[in-house]
Amino acid sequence: MSMSKQPKQKLVVFTGAGISAESGIRTFRDSDGLWEEFNISEVATPEAWQKNKALVLGFYNKRRQQVLNASPNAAHKALVKLELKYDVHIITQNIDDLHERAGSKNVIHLHGEINKSRSTVDENLVYPIKGDTIKLGDTCERGSQLRPHIVWFGEMVPMMEIAYEVAASADIFIVVGTSLVVYPAAGIVDYVPTATPKYLIDPHEIQVHGLANLKFIKEKASIGLPQLVNELLNTSN
Ligand code: APR
């Protein structure tokens, strides 16, 4: 009788700015959030880009510096440990690379990546950012101004369909560090099968309507996630 290794269960994690908060990266809608200090329409929309490229580039150069100076925290590292037992897929709204720097293998960035730039004549031309700034006059191989490889408000979310498919095949689903108010990303929870056990980790009350099989863990990510990961690593199945 050959020993057949059980296929690993698929564990999908949907993360937002809250998982990087304890790494020193600001969230958006907490009391000290980024959108308290900056006006979205001036720095994070296509219209802002047309109106004042230098201001937009400066905004993301500052955020990139923050990310460079930050390190993954216990929450990011706990997700890596899950890969011992589960087929882990991370779908993040975050533009930082802390999941990758912690060692996570499968990361989908719905809203882009701070460490990449993109051509403004061909969105398939994406480049790693050497050093830490994009400046006016930095051009792609076809001579157009480079822009941050970020999805701005009002732009399409190219990875959304793939993310829905991943969520629809989840055996376990974890949501951590997101206010679930920005669509289409937040709509991902509606694609998770009803029977799939779901966990939501957030220090504040999050309004989640009509999600079956949901366990709410009212904790910061660096406390709640390692606890949940230890539970999931020690279950029998
Ligand atoms: N641990 C876990 N969660 C935390 C922590 C923490 N230490 N600190 C704050 N949070 C929670 C907040 O309670 C909130 O629910 O993280 C969430 C952060 O919500 P937002 O600031 O709205 O961030 P996010 O949900 O990721 O925003 C979604 O909006 O601005 C756009 O594109 C941007 O990807 C972003 C999207």
Side-chain angles (χ1 to χ4, degrees):
M1 163 90 133
S2 66
M3 290 289 285
S4 64
K5 251 172 94 61
Q6 284 281 5
K8 287 183 176 180
Q9 280 195 305
K10 194 166 193 173
L11 190 150
V12 180
V13 193
F14 180 53
T15 70
I19 197 170
S20 297
E22 291 162 271
S23 296
I25 296 177
R26 290 167 76 177
T27 63
F28 297 96
R29 296 173 185 83
D30 284 315
S31 49
D32 62 346
L34 214 53
W35 301 145
E36 295 295 310
E37 183 185 344
F38 293 92
N39 185 329
I40 288 177
S41 64
E42 288 172 359
V43 291
T45 62
E47 295 72 22
W49 175 249
Q50 292 314 321
K51 187 168 165 234
N52 189 336
K53 292 182 175 53
L55 181 69
V56 173
L57 290 173
F59 174 68
Y60 286 98
N61 288 340
K62 210 182 309 180
R63 292 183 64 195
R64 191 172 303 104
Q65 192 56 49
Q66 259 194 16
V67 170
L68 284 173
N69 295 335
S71 308
N73 64 56
H76 300 101
K77 293 172 185 166
L79 293 180
V80 182
K81 272 175 64 180
L82 278 175
E83 293 182 8
L84 295 169
K85 180 176 176 186
Y86 296 95
D87 173 21
V88 181
H89 293 254
I90 294 178
I91 299 168
T92 188
Q93 298 168 90
N94 299 342
I95 59 175
D96 65 55
D97 60 347
L98 296 183
H99 283 303
E100 291 87 344
R101 282 162 53 191
S104 289
K105 300 283 177 299
N106 298 320
V107 183
I108 293 174
H109 285 270
L110 293 179
H111 295 159
E113 300 178 66
I114 192 75
N115 291 329
K116 292 182 180 169
S117 65
R118 184 169 86 217
S119 164
T120 43
V121 286
D122 177 351
E123 63 186 14
N124 298 309
L125 296 179
V126 176
Y127 307 92
I129 294 181
K130 301 177 188 63
D132 59 0
T133 59
I134 306 177
K135 295 183 293 300
L136 277 182
D138 289 350
T139 58
C140 74
E141 58 204 78
R142 294 177 48 189
S144 81
Q145 172 67 48
L146 289 175
R147 61 164 274 182
H149 183 46
I150 302 288
V151 177
W152 286 327
F153 285 89
E155 293 188 315
M156 294 292 289
V157 180
M159 306 291 278
M160 204 66 241
E161 290 308 317
I162 294 173
Y164 287 151
E165 283 167 27
V166 172
S169 61
D171 296 310
I172 299 171
F173 193 79
I174 301 173
V175 180
V176 50
T178 176
S179 56
L180 290 173
V181 297
V182 173
Y183 286 79
I188 194 168
V189 297
D190 299 327
Y191 285 75
V192 183
T194 308
T196 294
K198 305 166 192 72
Y199 302 87
L200 191 150
I201 301 174
D202 199 300
H204 304 118
E205 291 296 328
I206 296 300
Q207 296 307 322
V208 201
H209 306 292
L211 266 198
N213 285 316
L214 176 67
K215 181 177 178 204
F216 181 66
I217 302 168
K218 197 166 172 8
E219 285 283 4
K220 289 186 166 191
S222 67
I223 306 291
L225 206 44
Q227 283 172 352
L228 175 58
V229 165
N230 286 337
E231 256 179 59
L232 292 171
L233 290 177
N234 296 322
T235 54
S236 53
N237 64 337

